[in-house]
Amino acid sequence: MKNKSIISSSILLVIMLCVYSAFSQAATHIVQDPLEYFNNRTKAISLARSGNWQQLIPITESLTRQYQKDGDLFYVLGLAYYETEQYQKAITALTNTLGLGGTVLNNIPTGSAPSNDIMIKIAMAYALGGDKSNAMTWLEKGFEARYDEKPFLKDDPAFKTFNKDNAFLKLFGYCDEVDLTREKAWRCDIDYLAKRVIELHYSPYHHTSKANFDQLILELKLNIDTISDEQIVVELMKIFGSLGNGHNLIIPTSPQKGALKRLPVQFYQFNDGLFIVGAEIGFEKWIGYKVENIEGTPIEKALRKTQVVNSRDNDMQTLWLGPYYLSLPDVLEGLGIVKTANEVTLSLSDSKGVSQEVTMNPIDWNFAGFPKLPQRMMDTQPLFLSKINDPYWYTFLQDGTIIYIQFNTVTNKENQSLEDFNIELRGQIVQSKAHNLVLDLRHNHGGDGSLLPPILKTLESFEIMNPDGKVFVIIGRETFSAGHNLLTEITKNINPILVGEPSGSKPNHIGESGWFRLPYSGVMGLVSTQFHQDSKPEDNRKWIAPHIPISLSSTDYFNGNDRALNTIMEVIKDSK
């Protein structure tokens, strides 16, 4: 009985201590004047966004003493300490942020909200404070958490005191040996690439098995001595193609050795075939010609072959990016379409069906992103091609009854942020007599998805103010990434009429991108890092399909005819 009494007393004591601890903890989070706290918190965030670190520190120190559950405040306080070179205090504040699950604050200069970015900031603070050991530890933590800007850290001034050390260089794929042979250098690069894919990718084996991935890596290492540097890069593309989602990419012009050249023309797959739509100086005469085959391989078969190197979300990306891969002679050689990449013979036909063989040699170039359908080689352009390099713009059509918005890139322009653009848009909509809205996303490959809320507000407010009007969204193969995220949100929150082609991605998809750079060859690329569940968990659609299917023909393109917009005009006319 005595032992049971002691046990019961001990249990009661533990319970009382836990209850006291809970009440004590709650007491430390009592804010005496909530309104004053709120006003000071608002001021602190505003000071952070303006980079006024010195003034921010005392305010935020007071706020975090009053209340220790707000990760946002510890985050901006940590940045303020960092910018004022109070590195140990920065480490403590930023570690507190991580302990609270991180932050989602954006538009903070010198800051980046993802937790892996905060880990790297902690590593930098340790490095600048002279603590190499902890700096290395936090670098490894950040990389394990899929930090996406890794290649650009190697020469960051924060690590200058030890960025030549072997342990530091190993983090970036360097081997212990010096004066490596070509074979050993490529082996080191390939091993590091395999590691980096696993380090970065959200789900590396969702489309291929681990055994198959490992086998592709092993076979490439065994064949290094038998193939050229360029063909090694093509084999790396094939490995990336096996990963099976659209944010995986090898940048073909990045290698210091093995950089791929391209043909002096640009292809585009219309609904009536593959045509030349752009050309370098001296090759303009071939614009408008249809490509019948490449050295005997029919275009349809050649496009299917590109799927081996085209890591894609769906088959619309074969239509979008397949023509791009067909313009890379080394890829053509690696896919068995041509015998040598030194020259490529195309079978072309003109508008009258007259065919001829044309041999082209590859040229040097700089990769600047996946191609868009270019403007016509004429002085006048149809509306949808008139400002393809402008991230966002609008105009009124049909005496102001229709507002047409083209959204090409999810970014902020230097002279007007996307938020300010949408404030202007909403003001124009209120003042106008527009009853129908057309949003053109055909050229939108994505960008910074955190910038999307203002345009969603614009569309929602338009629908509320115009219950009898219509919202049309023009989509296609190039509607991708953040542009696709917007499309999915639009279909969830308003009632749009979708016009055009199926989209270039899935409602739920693996996206975002983390960088890698192979140390010896210099090959750079991107690996998918996050899963975007923009729709319901059970939404397994391959794309978002249009309600009014319209694809572009070569005749319409070269004649400057926009069937998608023309059809929208007819729908509006019929609804009156």
Side-chain angles (χ1 to χ4, degrees), residues 75-363:
Y75 173 60
V76 296
L77 181 58
L79 292 179
Y81 285 142
Y82 185 92
E83 293 302 319
T84 55
E85 301 182 9
Q86 301 179 66
Y87 298 121
Q88 192 55 54
K89 288 184 177 180
I91 291 164
T92 301
L94 293 173
T95 303
N96 285 338
T97 305
L98 293 177
L100 292 168
T103 178
V104 293
L105 272 182
N106 55 18
N107 297 324
I108 307 292
T110 77
S112 185
S115 292
N116 50 24
D117 286 52
I118 295 174
M119 294 174 188
I120 298 301
K121 184 69 80 172
I122 292 172
M124 296 169 79
Y126 271 120
L128 290 168
D131 188 340
K132 174 188 171 183
S133 176
N134 274 312
M136 292 287 290
T137 296
W138 279 93
L139 278 174
E140 290 173 357
K141 287 182 180 180
F143 298 157
E144 289 170 3
R146 299 201 295 271
Y147 177 70
D148 54 10
E149 300 285 333
K150 182 177 180 179
F152 312 110
L153 280 180
K154 177 178 169 291
D155 296 318
D156 192 287
F159 307 108
K160 65 181 180 181
T161 59
F162 56 87
N163 64 8
K164 304 298 182 186
D165 293 0
N166 285 339
F168 182 81
L169 292 174
K170 274 188 175 181
L171 294 177
F172 298 88
Y174 288 86
C175 296
D176 289 332
E177 298 180 54
V178 295
D179 299 325
L180 296 178
T181 64
R182 173 183 179 272
E183 180 185 3
K184 286 186 177 180
W186 270 117
R187 279 179 172 272
C188 283
D189 274 1
I190 294 166
D191 284 337
Y192 178 63
L193 178 65
K195 177 184 177 181
R196 189 69 174 135
V197 168
I198 305 308
E199 188 175 70
L200 274 175
H201 204 292
Y202 173 81
S203 179
Y205 308 126
H206 80 287
H207 189 265
T208 188
S209 67
K210 182 179 185 303
N212 184 63
F213 179 79
D214 291 344
Q215 183 65 29
L216 290 173
I217 293 291
L218 177 61
E219 288 177 357
L220 178 54
K221 289 195 294 184
L222 292 174
N223 291 328
I224 290 171
D225 279 345
T226 65
I227 58 177
S228 67
D229 292 334
E230 289 79 7
Q231 285 307 308
I232 290 175
V233 174
V234 174
E235 292 303 312
L236 294 179
M237 287 181 166
K238 292 179 182 179
I239 291 172
F240 266 51
S242 74
L243 297 176
N245 52 279
H247 282 75
N248 298 307
L249 166 68
I250 298 285
I251 297 177
T253 59
S254 60
Q256 298 162 355
K257 48 186 178 181
L260 306 192
K261 296 182 178 182
R262 70 168 175 84
L263 294 176
V265 292
Q266 179 183 344
F267 303 133
Y268 189 87
Q269 179 69 27
F270 296 99
N271 62 15
D272 53 343
L274 186 79
F275 285 76
I276 295 176
V277 294
E280 298 295 319
I281 295 174
F283 294 86
E284 300 95 334
K285 67 179 181 179
W286 303 117
I287 293 176
Y289 277 71
K290 183 177 182 179
V291 186
E292 301 288 353
N293 64 69
I294 303 175
E295 298 196 1
T297 300
I299 291 305
E300 186 176 344
K301 182 178 181 180
L303 281 172
R304 287 198 302 270
K305 283 178 172 285
T306 66
Q307 294 179 349
V308 176
V309 294
N310 185 3
S311 185
R312 61 201 185 282
D313 289 339
N314 60 39
D315 286 340
M316 293 307 294
Q317 286 189 271
T318 300
L319 298 181
W320 172 27
L321 299 179
Y324 153 76
Y325 286 110
L326 291 180
S327 72
L328 305 179
D330 292 294
V331 171
L332 296 177
E333 181 183 334
L335 297 177
I337 296 173
V338 301
K339 293 180 180 179
T340 174
N342 295 329
E343 60 179 26
V344 175
T345 300
L346 308 174
S347 178
L348 305 179
S349 62
D350 63 16
S351 58
K352 297 178 181 179
V354 179
S355 298
Q356 59 182 303
E357 301 290 308
V358 178
T359 299
M360 297 183 182
N361 301 110
I363 61 171

